[in-house]
Amino acid sequence: MTANRIVAIDGPAAAGQGTLARRLAACLGLPYLDTGLLYRATARRLLLAGADASDAAAAAEAARALSPPDLERTDLRTPDVDRAAAAVASVPPVRAALLDFQRSFGQANGAVLDGRDIGTIIFPQARAKLFVTASVEARAYRRWLELTGRGVHAALETVREDMQARDAADASRAAAPLRPAEDAFVLDTTVMDADAAFAAALRYVAARV
Ligand code: DC
């Protein structure tokens, strides 16, 4: 049963789930999928087509047209894509278009997937579910460090405001709102470094997968 080899990792932006998911996947020998990239690549296609991020029909078309090279673009983590991805993620036909890809990715050999709705919608039967979170200040600071490291200039305050807006959009949307699955292990990384978070996550996951 695949559910035994699925590790579902959810949580708000920049809580550290990406790093954690990659390390868990490497340690367990499982494939890894960053599902946020699917929404980001959809948003980038939409922006390149000159469409408005709020155009639901164009967003659904962009999601259906995604192909692997779209996920390898180097411009998927810019502030304009952050905002457009949050908008397209609230469009039900976009989520529907991306659902099969995510399920088939995990179904063959198991996988570690990170996103917002992996434990609640994509793989509700997964045995290992982590909800990784941290205070908005801690997450904004991490995102700001990451942006600055990549040479993208943004004021910390603007990053924090954007993050708060995205948190609100992710949590309040009708389609797959961000929330921990009832059976998820909640890991708050506000005062944890990456190694401590990994150790805690591995203890939990190793007992289940
Ligand atoms: O994790 P991220 O910041 O790369 O995600 C980009 C956007 O996509 C963010 O607004 C949340 C959304 N998303 C989602 O709705 N469901 C997922 N499984 C993954 C991401």
Side-chain angles (χ1 to χ4, degrees), residues 10-14 17 34-37 39-40 76-77 81-83 85-90 95 102 114-118 122 143 166 170 173 175-176:
D10 293 304
Q17 58 271 54
D34 170 1
T35 66
L37 276 188
Y39 295 90
R40 289 176 176 277
L76 299 180
R77 298 193 182 278
V81 169
D82 283 354
R83 282 187 288 271
V88 304
S90 69
R95 306 200 71 88
Q102 297 173 77
D114 81 53
R116 301 292 188 281
D117 62 342
I118 310 303
I122 309 295
R143 174 56 56 87
R166 286 178 60 207
D170 287 347
R173 68 181 177 218

PDB file of all heavy atoms in Angstrom, residues 10-14 17 34-37 39-40 76-77 81-83 85-90 95 102 114-118 122 143 166 170 173 175-176, ligand 1:
ATOM      1  N   ASP A  10       3.001  19.700   5.264  1.00  0.00           N
ATOM      2  CA  ASP A  10       2.268  20.933   4.962  1.00  0.00           C
ATOM      3  C   ASP A  10       2.684  22.032   5.933  1.00  0.00           C
ATOM      4  O   ASP A  10       3.321  21.775   6.950  1.00  0.00           O
ATOM      5  CB  ASP A  10       0.754  20.681   5.085  1.00  0.00           C
ATOM      6  CG  ASP A  10       0.255  19.737   4.004  1.00  0.00           C
ATOM      7  OD1 ASP A  10       0.467  20.042   2.814  1.00  0.00           O
ATOM      8  OD2 ASP A  10      -0.314  18.684   4.347  1.00  0.00           O
ATOM      9  N   GLY A  11       2.244  23.257   5.608  1.00  0.00           N
ATOM     10  CA  GLY A  11       2.518  24.376   6.500  1.00  0.00           C
ATOM     11  C   GLY A  11       2.561  25.659   5.714  1.00  0.00           C
ATOM     12  O   GLY A  11       2.556  25.649   4.478  1.00  0.00           O
ATOM     13  N   PRO A  12       2.578  26.801   6.423  1.00  0.00           N
ATOM     14  CA  PRO A  12       2.608  28.108   5.745  1.00  0.00           C
ATOM     15  C   PRO A  12       3.960  28.368   5.078  1.00  0.00           C
ATOM     16  O   PRO A  12       4.921  27.632   5.311  1.00  0.00           O
ATOM     17  CB  PRO A  12       2.372  29.094   6.896  1.00  0.00           C
ATOM     18  CG  PRO A  12       2.871  28.390   8.108  1.00  0.00           C
ATOM     19  CD  PRO A  12       2.608  26.927   7.885  1.00  0.00           C
ATOM     20  N   ALA A  13       4.023  29.409   4.258  1.00  0.00           N
ATOM     21  CA  ALA A  13       5.243  29.746   3.525  1.00  0.00           C
ATOM     22  C   ALA A  13       6.427  29.958   4.460  1.00  0.00           C
ATOM     23  O   ALA A  13       6.284  30.539   5.537  1.00  0.00           O
ATOM     24  CB  ALA A  13       5.006  31.029   2.720  1.00  0.00           C
ATOM     25  N   ALA A  14       7.588  29.456   4.015  1.00  0.00           N
ATOM     26  CA  ALA A  14       8.874  29.698   4.685  1.00  0.00           C
ATOM     27  C   ALA A  14       8.953  29.215   6.126  1.00  0.00           C
ATOM     28  O   ALA A  14       9.696  29.754   6.929  1.00  0.00           O
ATOM     29  CB  ALA A  14       9.258  31.186   4.597  1.00  0.00           C
ATOM     30  N   GLN A  17       9.632  23.848   5.601  1.00  0.00           N
ATOM     31  CA  GLN A  17       9.246  22.504   5.150  1.00  0.00           C
ATOM     32  C   GLN A  17      10.016  22.020   3.927  1.00  0.00           C
ATOM     33  O   GLN A  17      10.209  20.817   3.770  1.00  0.00           O
ATOM     34  CB  GLN A  17       7.728  22.355   4.958  1.00  0.00           C
ATOM     35  CG  GLN A  17       7.056  23.280   3.998  1.00  0.00           C
ATOM     36  CD  GLN A  17       6.594  24.546   4.661  1.00  0.00           C
ATOM     37  OE1 GLN A  17       7.400  25.214   5.289  1.00  0.00           O
ATOM     38  NE2 GLN A  17       5.337  24.894   4.527  1.00  0.00           N
ATOM     39  N   ASP A  34       8.145  19.184  -4.556  1.00  0.00           N
ATOM     40  CA  ASP A  34       7.765  20.481  -3.991  1.00  0.00           C
ATOM     41  C   ASP A  34       6.515  20.918  -4.757  1.00  0.00           C
ATOM     42  O   ASP A  34       6.608  21.422  -5.875  1.00  0.00           O
ATOM     43  CB  ASP A  34       8.931  21.456  -4.209  1.00  0.00           C
ATOM     44  CG  ASP A  34       8.565  22.900  -3.893  1.00  0.00           C
ATOM     45  OD1 ASP A  34       7.409  23.164  -3.484  1.00  0.00           O
ATOM     46  OD2 ASP A  34       9.438  23.767  -4.067  1.00  0.00           O
ATOM     47  N   THR A  35       5.334  20.706  -4.174  1.00  0.00           N
ATOM     48  CA  THR A  35       4.099  20.962  -4.933  1.00  0.00           C
ATOM     49  C   THR A  35       3.846  22.458  -5.137  1.00  0.00           C
ATOM     50  O   THR A  35       3.111  22.842  -6.033  1.00  0.00           O
ATOM     51  CB  THR A  35       2.868  20.307  -4.260  1.00  0.00           C
ATOM     52  OG1 THR A  35       2.624  20.952  -3.000  1.00  0.00           O
ATOM     53  CG2 THR A  35       3.071  18.825  -4.062  1.00  0.00           C
ATOM     54  N   GLY A  36       4.476  23.309  -4.308  1.00  0.00           N
ATOM     55  CA  GLY A  36       4.345  24.752  -4.510  1.00  0.00           C
ATOM     56  C   GLY A  36       4.852  25.162  -5.889  1.00  0.00           C
ATOM     57  O   GLY A  36       4.354  26.120  -6.493  1.00  0.00           O
ATOM     58  N   LEU A  37       5.833  24.402  -6.392  1.00  0.00           N
ATOM     59  CA  LEU A  37       6.384  24.715  -7.718  1.00  0.00           C
ATOM     60  C   LEU A  37       5.327  24.605  -8.807  1.00  0.00           C
ATOM     61  O   LEU A  37       5.375  25.325  -9.801  1.00  0.00           O
ATOM     62  CB  LEU A  37       7.525  23.753  -8.067  1.00  0.00           C
ATOM     63  CG  LEU A  37       8.918  24.066  -7.543  1.00  0.00           C
ATOM     64  CD1 LEU A  37       9.923  23.096  -8.178  1.00  0.00           C
ATOM     65  CD2 LEU A  37       9.314  25.507  -7.849  1.00  0.00           C
ATOM     66  N   TYR A  39       2.174  25.370  -8.536  1.00  0.00           N
ATOM     67  CA  TYR A  39       1.372  26.613  -8.510  1.00  0.00           C
ATOM     68  C   TYR A  39       2.212  27.797  -9.005  1.00  0.00           C
ATOM     69  O   TYR A  39       1.713  28.687  -9.689  1.00  0.00           O
ATOM     70  CB  TYR A  39       0.827  26.859  -7.089  1.00  0.00           C
ATOM     71  CG  TYR A  39      -0.138  25.765  -6.698  1.00  0.00           C
ATOM     72  CD1 TYR A  39       0.302  24.609  -6.064  1.00  0.00           C
ATOM     73  CD2 TYR A  39      -1.488  25.855  -7.035  1.00  0.00           C
ATOM     74  CE1 TYR A  39      -0.568  23.578  -5.758  1.00  0.00           C
ATOM     75  CE2 TYR A  39      -2.370  24.833  -6.730  1.00  0.00           C
ATOM     76  CZ  TYR A  39      -1.902  23.696  -6.093  1.00  0.00           C
ATOM     77  OH  TYR A  39      -2.767  22.676  -5.808  1.00  0.00           O
ATOM     78  N   ARG A  40       3.493  27.778  -8.644  1.00  0.00           N
ATOM     79  CA  ARG A  40       4.385  28.856  -9.096  1.00  0.00           C
ATOM     80  C   ARG A  40       4.564  28.817 -10.618  1.00  0.00           C
ATOM     81  O   ARG A  40       4.542  29.857 -11.283  1.00  0.00           O
ATOM     82  CB  ARG A  40       5.758  28.721  -8.421  1.00  0.00           C
ATOM     83  CG  ARG A  40       5.703  29.064  -6.954  1.00  0.00           C
ATOM     84  CD  ARG A  40       7.031  28.849  -6.257  1.00  0.00           C
ATOM     85  NE  ARG A  40       6.890  29.288  -4.878  1.00  0.00           N
ATOM     86  CZ  ARG A  40       7.006  30.553  -4.488  1.00  0.00           C
ATOM     87  NH1 ARG A  40       7.320  31.494  -5.361  1.00  0.00           N
ATOM     88  NH2 ARG A  40       6.808  30.868  -3.231  1.00  0.00           N
ATOM     89  N   LEU A  76      10.953  31.324 -10.575  1.00  0.00           N
ATOM     90  CA  LEU A  76       9.683  30.946  -9.934  1.00  0.00           C
ATOM     91  C   LEU A  76       9.582  31.435  -8.483  1.00  0.00           C
ATOM     92  O   LEU A  76       8.573  31.222  -7.832  1.00  0.00           O
ATOM     93  CB  LEU A  76       9.512  29.416  -9.973  1.00  0.00           C
ATOM     94  CG  LEU A  76       9.458  28.780 -11.380  1.00  0.00           C
ATOM     95  CD1 LEU A  76       9.292  27.268 -11.280  1.00  0.00           C
ATOM     96  CD2 LEU A  76       8.333  29.392 -12.211  1.00  0.00           C
ATOM     97  N   ARG A  77      10.666  32.071  -7.986  1.00  0.00           N
ATOM     98  CA  ARG A  77      10.632  32.524  -6.579  1.00  0.00           C
ATOM     99  C   ARG A  77      10.817  34.024  -6.460  1.00  0.00           C
ATOM    100  O   ARG A  77      11.571  34.519  -5.627  1.00  0.00           O
ATOM    101  CB  ARG A  77      11.693  31.781  -5.754  1.00  0.00           C
ATOM    102  CG  ARG A  77      11.429  30.301  -5.722  1.00  0.00           C
ATOM    103  CD  ARG A  77      12.227  29.543  -4.694  1.00  0.00           C
ATOM    104  NE  ARG A  77      11.917  28.130  -4.794  1.00  0.00           N
ATOM    105  CZ  ARG A  77      10.858  27.552  -4.242  1.00  0.00           C
ATOM    106  NH1 ARG A  77      10.043  28.253  -3.490  1.00  0.00           N
ATOM    107  NH2 ARG A  77      10.614  26.276  -4.421  1.00  0.00           N
ATOM    108  N   VAL A  81       5.685  36.374  -8.659  1.00  0.00           N
ATOM    109  CA  VAL A  81       5.187  34.994  -8.731  1.00  0.00           C
ATOM    110  C   VAL A  81       4.597  34.564  -7.377  1.00  0.00           C
ATOM    111  O   VAL A  81       3.581  33.863  -7.341  1.00  0.00           O
ATOM    112  CB  VAL A  81       6.286  34.020  -9.227  1.00  0.00           C
ATOM    113  CG1 VAL A  81       5.861  32.570  -9.053  1.00  0.00           C
ATOM    114  CG2 VAL A  81       6.589  34.294 -10.693  1.00  0.00           C
ATOM    115  N   ASP A  82       5.195  35.002  -6.264  1.00  0.00           N
ATOM    116  CA  ASP A  82       4.614  34.710  -4.930  1.00  0.00           C
ATOM    117  C   ASP A  82       3.136  35.113  -4.921  1.00  0.00           C
ATOM    118  O   ASP A  82       2.269  34.342  -4.501  1.00  0.00           O
ATOM    119  CB  ASP A  82       5.305  35.537  -3.826  1.00  0.00           C
ATOM    120  CG  ASP A  82       6.667  34.990  -3.423  1.00  0.00           C
ATOM    121  OD1 ASP A  82       7.057  33.911  -3.890  1.00  0.00           O
ATOM    122  OD2 ASP A  82       7.337  35.680  -2.624  1.00  0.00           O
ATOM    123  N   ARG A  83       2.885  36.337  -5.373  1.00  0.00           N
ATOM    124  CA  ARG A  83       1.509  36.861  -5.307  1.00  0.00           C
ATOM    125  C   ARG A  83       0.589  36.153  -6.295  1.00  0.00           C
ATOM    126  O   ARG A  83      -0.528  35.765  -5.955  1.00  0.00           O
ATOM    127  CB  ARG A  83       1.503  38.373  -5.579  1.00  0.00           C
ATOM    128  CG  ARG A  83       1.941  39.187  -4.369  1.00  0.00           C
ATOM    129  CD  ARG A  83       1.765  40.681  -4.606  1.00  0.00           C
ATOM    130  NE  ARG A  83       2.744  41.187  -5.556  1.00  0.00           N
ATOM    131  CZ  ARG A  83       3.959  41.637  -5.218  1.00  0.00           C
ATOM    132  NH1 ARG A  83       4.338  41.652  -3.950  1.00  0.00           N
ATOM    133  NH2 ARG A  83       4.792  42.072  -6.132  1.00  0.00           N
ATOM    134  N   ALA A  85       0.943  33.176  -7.561  1.00  0.00           N
ATOM    135  CA  ALA A  85       0.753  31.761  -7.191  1.00  0.00           C
ATOM    136  C   ALA A  85      -0.339  31.646  -6.132  1.00  0.00           C
ATOM    137  O   ALA A  85      -1.181  30.736  -6.184  1.00  0.00           O
ATOM    138  CB  ALA A  85       2.061  31.162  -6.685  1.00  0.00           C
ATOM    139  N   ALA A  86      -0.351  32.586  -5.168  1.00  0.00           N
ATOM    140  CA  ALA A  86      -1.402  32.545  -4.136  1.00  0.00           C
ATOM    141  C   ALA A  86      -2.769  32.739  -4.784  1.00  0.00           C
ATOM    142  O   ALA A  86      -3.758  32.108  -4.384  1.00  0.00           O
ATOM    143  CB  ALA A  86      -1.141  33.620  -3.076  1.00  0.00           C
ATOM    144  N   ALA A  87      -2.834  33.577  -5.821  1.00  0.00           N
ATOM    145  CA  ALA A  87      -4.119  33.806  -6.499  1.00  0.00           C
ATOM    146  C   ALA A  87      -4.557  32.566  -7.282  1.00  0.00           C
ATOM    147  O   ALA A  87      -5.696  32.111  -7.152  1.00  0.00           O
ATOM    148  CB  ALA A  87      -4.015  35.023  -7.434  1.00  0.00           C
ATOM    149  N   VAL A  88      -3.662  31.968  -8.066  1.00  0.00           N
ATOM    150  CA  VAL A  88      -4.086  30.810  -8.869  1.00  0.00           C
ATOM    151  C   VAL A  88      -4.412  29.616  -7.972  1.00  0.00           C
ATOM    152  O   VAL A  88      -5.251  28.778  -8.321  1.00  0.00           O
ATOM    153  CB  VAL A  88      -3.057  30.400  -9.966  1.00  0.00           C
ATOM    154  CG1 VAL A  88      -2.734  31.554 -10.886  1.00  0.00           C
ATOM    155  CG2 VAL A  88      -1.794  29.804  -9.390  1.00  0.00           C
ATOM    156  N   ALA A  89      -3.758  29.538  -6.794  1.00  0.00           N
ATOM    157  CA  ALA A  89      -3.994  28.398  -5.886  1.00  0.00           C
ATOM    158  C   ALA A  89      -5.409  28.404  -5.320  1.00  0.00           C
ATOM    159  O   ALA A  89      -5.869  27.403  -4.786  1.00  0.00           O
ATOM    160  CB  ALA A  89      -2.967  28.408  -4.758  1.00  0.00           C
ATOM    161  N   SER A  90      -6.106  29.548  -5.434  1.00  0.00           N
ATOM    162  CA  SER A  90      -7.464  29.603  -4.893  1.00  0.00           C
ATOM    163  C   SER A  90      -8.509  29.264  -5.962  1.00  0.00           C
ATOM    164  O   SER A  90      -9.709  29.328  -5.693  1.00  0.00           O
ATOM    165  CB  SER A  90      -7.738  30.995  -4.310  1.00  0.00           C
ATOM    166  OG  SER A  90      -7.807  31.918  -5.377  1.00  0.00           O
ATOM    167  N   ARG A  95      -6.558  23.663  -9.028  1.00  0.00           N
ATOM    168  CA  ARG A  95      -6.221  22.601  -8.073  1.00  0.00           C
ATOM    169  C   ARG A  95      -6.579  21.236  -8.653  1.00  0.00           C
ATOM    170  O   ARG A  95      -5.838  20.271  -8.506  1.00  0.00           O
ATOM    171  CB  ARG A  95      -6.921  22.832  -6.730  1.00  0.00           C
ATOM    172  CG  ARG A  95      -6.662  24.217  -6.126  1.00  0.00           C
ATOM    173  CD  ARG A  95      -6.925  24.262  -4.639  1.00  0.00           C
ATOM    174  NE  ARG A  95      -5.925  23.524  -3.910  1.00  0.00           N
ATOM    175  CZ  ARG A  95      -4.771  24.050  -3.477  1.00  0.00           C
ATOM    176  NH1 ARG A  95      -4.488  25.326  -3.661  1.00  0.00           N
ATOM    177  NH2 ARG A  95      -3.894  23.288  -2.845  1.00  0.00           N
ATOM    178  N   GLN A 102       0.093  15.097  -8.783  1.00  0.00           N
ATOM    179  CA  GLN A 102       0.639  14.906  -7.442  1.00  0.00           C
ATOM    180  C   GLN A 102       0.391  13.475  -6.952  1.00  0.00           C
ATOM    181  O   GLN A 102       1.269  12.835  -6.382  1.00  0.00           O
ATOM    182  CB  GLN A 102       0.021  15.916  -6.465  1.00  0.00           C
ATOM    183  CG  GLN A 102       0.367  17.354  -6.822  1.00  0.00           C
ATOM    184  CD  GLN A 102      -0.380  18.349  -5.952  1.00  0.00           C
ATOM    185  OE1 GLN A 102      -0.036  18.561  -4.804  1.00  0.00           O
ATOM    186  NE2 GLN A 102      -1.418  18.956  -6.496  1.00  0.00           N
ATOM    187  N   ASP A 114       5.730  18.138  -0.274  1.00  0.00           N
ATOM    188  CA  ASP A 114       5.402  19.250   0.612  1.00  0.00           C
ATOM    189  C   ASP A 114       4.513  20.263  -0.088  1.00  0.00           C
ATOM    190  O   ASP A 114       4.564  20.410  -1.312  1.00  0.00           O
ATOM    191  CB  ASP A 114       6.643  19.869   1.266  1.00  0.00           C
ATOM    192  CG  ASP A 114       7.406  20.839   0.401  1.00  0.00           C
ATOM    193  OD1 ASP A 114       6.792  21.777  -0.119  1.00  0.00           O
ATOM    194  OD2 ASP A 114       8.631  20.685   0.287  1.00  0.00           O
ATOM    195  N   GLY A 115       3.637  20.883   0.692  1.00  0.00           N
ATOM    196  CA  GLY A 115       2.678  21.830   0.134  1.00  0.00           C
ATOM    197  C   GLY A 115       1.764  22.397   1.203  1.00  0.00           C
ATOM    198  O   GLY A 115       2.224  22.752   2.308  1.00  0.00           O
ATOM    199  N   ARG A 116       0.481  22.523   0.869  1.00  0.00           N
ATOM    200  CA  ARG A 116      -0.488  23.083   1.810  1.00  0.00           C
ATOM    201  C   ARG A 116      -1.613  22.106   2.130  1.00  0.00           C
ATOM    202  O   ARG A 116      -2.272  22.220   3.158  1.00  0.00           O
ATOM    203  CB  ARG A 116      -1.131  24.358   1.227  1.00  0.00           C
ATOM    204  CG  ARG A 116      -0.177  25.471   0.881  1.00  0.00           C
ATOM    205  CD  ARG A 116       0.452  26.079   2.127  1.00  0.00           C
ATOM    206  NE  ARG A 116       1.230  27.264   1.792  1.00  0.00           N
ATOM    207  CZ  ARG A 116       2.447  27.229   1.269  1.00  0.00           C
ATOM    208  NH1 ARG A 116       3.034  26.085   1.036  1.00  0.00           N
ATOM    209  NH2 ARG A 116       3.083  28.352   1.000  1.00  0.00           N
ATOM    210  N   ASP A 117      -1.863  21.173   1.191  1.00  0.00           N
ATOM    211  CA  ASP A 117      -3.035  20.291   1.320  1.00  0.00           C
ATOM    212  C   ASP A 117      -2.672  18.832   1.092  1.00  0.00           C
ATOM    213  O   ASP A 117      -3.514  18.038   0.719  1.00  0.00           O
ATOM    214  CB  ASP A 117      -4.095  20.705   0.287  1.00  0.00           C
ATOM    215  CG  ASP A 117      -3.597  20.565  -1.152  1.00  0.00           C
ATOM    216  OD1 ASP A 117      -2.363  20.485  -1.349  1.00  0.00           O
ATOM    217  OD2 ASP A 117      -4.429  20.518  -2.076  1.00  0.00           O
ATOM    218  N   ILE A 118      -1.403  18.489   1.312  1.00  0.00           N
ATOM    219  CA  ILE A 118      -0.980  17.108   1.020  1.00  0.00           C
ATOM    220  C   ILE A 118      -1.640  16.134   2.008  1.00  0.00           C
ATOM    221  O   ILE A 118      -2.201  15.118   1.601  1.00  0.00           O
ATOM    222  CB  ILE A 118       0.568  16.968   1.065  1.00  0.00           C
ATOM    223  CG1 ILE A 118       1.229  18.051   0.217  1.00  0.00           C
ATOM    224  CG2 ILE A 118       0.981  15.569   0.588  1.00  0.00           C
ATOM    225  CD1 ILE A 118       0.822  18.090  -1.231  1.00  0.00           C
ATOM    226  N   ILE A 122      -4.599  15.667  -0.864  1.00  0.00           N
ATOM    227  CA  ILE A 122      -3.890  14.866  -1.882  1.00  0.00           C
ATOM    228  C   ILE A 122      -3.688  13.427  -1.382  1.00  0.00           C
ATOM    229  O   ILE A 122      -4.017  12.469  -2.081  1.00  0.00           O
ATOM    230  CB  ILE A 122      -2.526  15.503  -2.265  1.00  0.00           C
ATOM    231  CG1 ILE A 122      -2.699  16.987  -2.634  1.00  0.00           C
ATOM    232  CG2 ILE A 122      -1.868  14.741  -3.425  1.00  0.00           C
ATOM    233  CD1 ILE A 122      -3.518  17.261  -3.873  1.00  0.00           C
ATOM    234  N   ARG A 143      12.621  34.271   4.724  1.00  0.00           N
ATOM    235  CA  ARG A 143      12.399  34.542   3.308  1.00  0.00           C
ATOM    236  C   ARG A 143      13.243  35.738   2.855  1.00  0.00           C
ATOM    237  O   ARG A 143      13.822  35.731   1.781  1.00  0.00           O
ATOM    238  CB  ARG A 143      10.902  34.796   3.063  1.00  0.00           C
ATOM    239  CG  ARG A 143      10.517  35.227   1.658  1.00  0.00           C
ATOM    240  CD  ARG A 143      10.968  34.265   0.573  1.00  0.00           C
ATOM    241  NE  ARG A 143      10.508  32.901   0.762  1.00  0.00           N
ATOM    242  CZ  ARG A 143       9.361  32.412   0.341  1.00  0.00           C
ATOM    243  NH1 ARG A 143       8.541  33.193  -0.311  1.00  0.00           N
ATOM    244  NH2 ARG A 143       9.052  31.159   0.556  1.00  0.00           N
ATOM    245  N   ARG A 166      -0.403  36.489   2.205  1.00  0.00           N
ATOM    246  CA  ARG A 166      -0.458  35.142   1.619  1.00  0.00           C
ATOM    247  C   ARG A 166      -0.983  34.134   2.633  1.00  0.00           C
ATOM    248  O   ARG A 166      -1.749  33.243   2.298  1.00  0.00           O
ATOM    249  CB  ARG A 166       0.919  34.706   1.129  1.00  0.00           C
ATOM    250  CG  ARG A 166       1.322  35.411  -0.139  1.00  0.00           C
ATOM    251  CD  ARG A 166       2.702  34.985  -0.567  1.00  0.00           C
ATOM    252  NE  ARG A 166       2.745  33.558  -0.803  1.00  0.00           N
ATOM    253  CZ  ARG A 166       3.848  32.816  -0.690  1.00  0.00           C
ATOM    254  NH1 ARG A 166       4.963  33.354  -0.281  1.00  0.00           N
ATOM    255  NH2 ARG A 166       3.831  31.545  -0.970  1.00  0.00           N
ATOM    256  N   ASP A 170      -4.112  31.867   1.879  1.00  0.00           N
ATOM    257  CA  ASP A 170      -4.003  30.401   1.910  1.00  0.00           C
ATOM    258  C   ASP A 170      -4.996  29.801   2.923  1.00  0.00           C
ATOM    259  O   ASP A 170      -5.551  28.729   2.695  1.00  0.00           O
ATOM    260  CB  ASP A 170      -2.578  29.958   2.300  1.00  0.00           C
ATOM    261  CG  ASP A 170      -1.552  30.170   1.175  1.00  0.00           C
ATOM    262  OD1 ASP A 170      -1.958  30.428   0.027  1.00  0.00           O
ATOM    263  OD2 ASP A 170      -0.343  30.081   1.459  1.00  0.00           O
ATOM    264  N   ARG A 173      -9.111  30.708   1.855  1.00  0.00           N
ATOM    265  CA  ARG A 173      -9.731  30.369   0.571  1.00  0.00           C
ATOM    266  C   ARG A 173     -10.671  29.174   0.750  1.00  0.00           C
ATOM    267  O   ARG A 173     -10.457  28.311   1.621  1.00  0.00           O
ATOM    268  CB  ARG A 173      -8.655  30.068  -0.483  1.00  0.00           C
ATOM    269  CG  ARG A 173      -7.892  28.803  -0.199  1.00  0.00           C
ATOM    270  CD  ARG A 173      -6.814  28.532  -1.232  1.00  0.00           C
ATOM    271  NE  ARG A 173      -6.088  27.335  -0.824  1.00  0.00           N
ATOM    272  CZ  ARG A 173      -4.798  27.158  -0.951  1.00  0.00           C
ATOM    273  NH1 ARG A 173      -4.049  28.094  -1.470  1.00  0.00           N
ATOM    274  NH2 ARG A 173      -4.221  26.029  -0.561  1.00  0.00           N
ATOM    275  N   ALA A 175     -11.221  26.802  -1.534  1.00  0.00           N
ATOM    276  CA  ALA A 175     -10.654  25.580  -2.109  1.00  0.00           C
ATOM    277  C   ALA A 175      -9.405  25.165  -1.346  1.00  0.00           C
ATOM    278  O   ALA A 175      -8.414  25.877  -1.353  1.00  0.00           O
ATOM    279  CB  ALA A 175     -10.302  25.807  -3.579  1.00  0.00           C
ATOM    280  N   ALA A 176      -9.477  24.016  -0.663  1.00  0.00           N
ATOM    281  CA  ALA A 176      -8.331  23.461   0.061  1.00  0.00           C
ATOM    282  C   ALA A 176      -7.616  24.479   0.941  1.00  0.00           C
ATOM    283  O   ALA A 176      -6.431  24.757   0.761  1.00  0.00           O
ATOM    284  CB  ALA A 176      -7.344  22.838  -0.944  1.00  0.00           C
TER     285      ALA A 176
HETATM  286  O1   DC B   1       5.124  26.675  -0.919  1.00  0.00           O
HETATM  287  P1   DC B   1       5.143  27.815  -1.922  1.00  0.00           P
HETATM  288  O2   DC B   1       5.346  29.152  -1.284  1.00  0.00           O
HETATM  289  O3   DC B   1       6.150  27.563  -3.010  1.00  0.00           O
HETATM  290  O4   DC B   1       3.692  27.822  -2.595  1.00  0.00           O
HETATM  291  C1   DC B   1       3.341  28.744  -3.590  1.00  0.00           C
HETATM  292  C2   DC B   1       1.838  29.048  -3.500  1.00  0.00           C
HETATM  293  O5   DC B   1       1.076  27.888  -3.855  1.00  0.00           O
HETATM  294  C3   DC B   1       1.364  29.471  -2.113  1.00  0.00           C
HETATM  295  O6   DC B   1       0.484  30.595  -2.237  1.00  0.00           O
HETATM  296  C4   DC B   1       0.576  28.304  -1.604  1.00  0.00           C
HETATM  297  C5   DC B   1       0.158  27.559  -2.827  1.00  0.00           C
HETATM  298  N1   DC B   1       0.174  26.102  -2.638  1.00  0.00           N
HETATM  299  C6   DC B   1      -1.028  25.469  -2.474  1.00  0.00           C
HETATM  300  O7   DC B   1      -2.065  26.104  -2.441  1.00  0.00           O
HETATM  301  N2   DC B   1      -1.056  24.111  -2.331  1.00  0.00           N
HETATM  302  C7   DC B   1       0.071  23.405  -2.349  1.00  0.00           C
HETATM  303  N3   DC B   1       0.014  22.069  -2.210  1.00  0.00           N
HETATM  304  C8   DC B   1       1.315  24.047  -2.504  1.00  0.00           C
HETATM  305  C9   DC B   1       1.338  25.421  -2.632  1.00  0.00           C
END
